Amino acid sequence: MNPPDEHHATSLAEDAELQIWRGIREDTRRRLLRVVTVGGLYLIAALAVGVYLIVTIAEVGRENVALRGWQPVAVDVGWMLTVAAGYGVMAVLALVGYLVAWMWIQDKLPAAACRIVGAMPWIGSTMRMVAMGEFCQSIYQSLLRVQPIGEALDQASSAVGHAGLRRWSALASKRIELGHPLVHVLQSSPIQDPPLSAVTAFAMREMAASDTVDVWRRATSECHLLAQSRLDRTAMAVSVCCLLASVFIAFFALLLSGIAMKTLLQGLAY
């Protein structure tokens, strides 16, 4: 094979690899959003059913009276309305949590909120790896075009969806232009997961341009492998937790409704 054909084959392989990585990120976001949506619907539906049951029983007992001794006493339904209000507050919190998770998955959160939301269990770790994979791919593509690392960071500031990484990339590019060592710049990244830590370790020593490109390619590949493995654990954990929480919420509402109905039937006041 002559050199032009070899270069063409290499370019096709690189383009295919970039498309595979992009597809992994899109699939991760899509599957994660589906899991979060289903889990959120379970929780909100269970809370809505709980509110309906408790409010219905409270309405039944509101106009009734019970005998205490031989004195008629109005049935106290205030505690049931308080429980129903608590369920309503939890439903609002669940809806807000879902909206925040949706914005996080779709890279709609501002930079100030990214670090806080990134600490979320399961979802946060998966999305951190997706964001780091997108960042590493942007750097890798820039290095393939033989751009210096400062320009690569500046390019990443407009190519990455994660708001925190975008802002940091722009600042990191200026720090590189001012002569700051790459190691110190990478150590200030808002996401410090293993692939970037490995790149930082390699940046401590002098490497040829081809070796640098290979390091970033390996880091990008590792990010996407970790994103896939974390997604599987996240989908399992979120599904199980939301299902168990929904069952408990619905069961607790049924239990309270049964106790209230039994009390009303026995003619006792709460």
Side-chain angles (χ1 to χ4, degrees), residues 43-224:
L43 289 174
I44 294 174
L47 290 166
V49 170
V51 170
Y52 174 77
L53 287 174
I54 295 172
V55 170
T56 300
I57 298 299
E59 289 297 325
V60 171
R62 186 188 300 274
E63 302 299 330
N64 292 340
V65 294
L67 293 178
R68 178 170 295 175
W70 291 102
Q71 297 297 323
V73 179
V75 175
D76 180 19
V77 296
W79 67 273
M80 288 186 281
L81 297 178
T82 301
V83 174
Y87 267 52
V89 171
M90 287 191 290
V92 173
L93 291 177
L95 180 59
V96 171
Y98 169 74
L99 293 177
V100 171
W102 181 88
M103 294 177 67
W104 171 238
I105 294 170
Q106 298 293 336
D107 284 331
K108 303 294 185 181
L109 285 179
C114 285
R115 185 182 296 272
I116 299 174
V117 181
M120 292 173 61
W122 304 309
I123 299 175
S125 63
T126 303
M127 289 308 303
R128 286 200 312 270
M129 199 50 56
V130 170
M132 183 53 62
E134 190 175 25
F135 170 77
C136 290
Q137 179 175 332
S138 177
I139 298 296
Y140 171 62
Q141 289 181 271
S142 298
L143 294 178
L144 283 177
R145 295 191 292 267
V146 200
Q147 292 180 321
I149 189 64
E151 293 183 10
L153 288 167
D154 184 64
Q155 186 73 22
S157 66
S158 58
V160 177
H162 188 278
L165 277 178
R166 280 204 313 268
R167 186 173 66 176
W168 172 78
S169 297
L171 296 174
S173 175
K174 292 181 173 59
R175 291 181 62 186
I176 292 294
E177 293 177 359
L178 294 174
H180 290 245
L182 178 61
V183 175
H184 295 165
V185 173
L186 293 178
Q187 288 175 343
S188 65
S189 169
I191 299 177
Q192 287 294 335
D193 281 67
L196 186 63
S197 303
V199 173
T200 304
F202 278 106
M204 293 180 180
R205 59 185 182 181
E206 293 293 332
M207 291 188 299
S210 59
D211 293 335
T212 301
V213 173
D214 187 60
V215 166
W216 282 99
R217 189 191 73 81
R218 290 178 181 272
T220 306
S221 179
E222 185 68 17
C223 284
H224 289 84

Side-chain angles (χ1 to χ4, degrees), residues 15-30:
D15 291 341
E17 193 172 40
L18 295 175
Q19 290 299 326
I20 290 173
W21 289 336
R22 188 174 295 108
I24 289 174
R25 293 197 303 273
E26 292 175 354
D27 181 66
T28 300
R29 294 179 190 275
R30 182 169 56 251

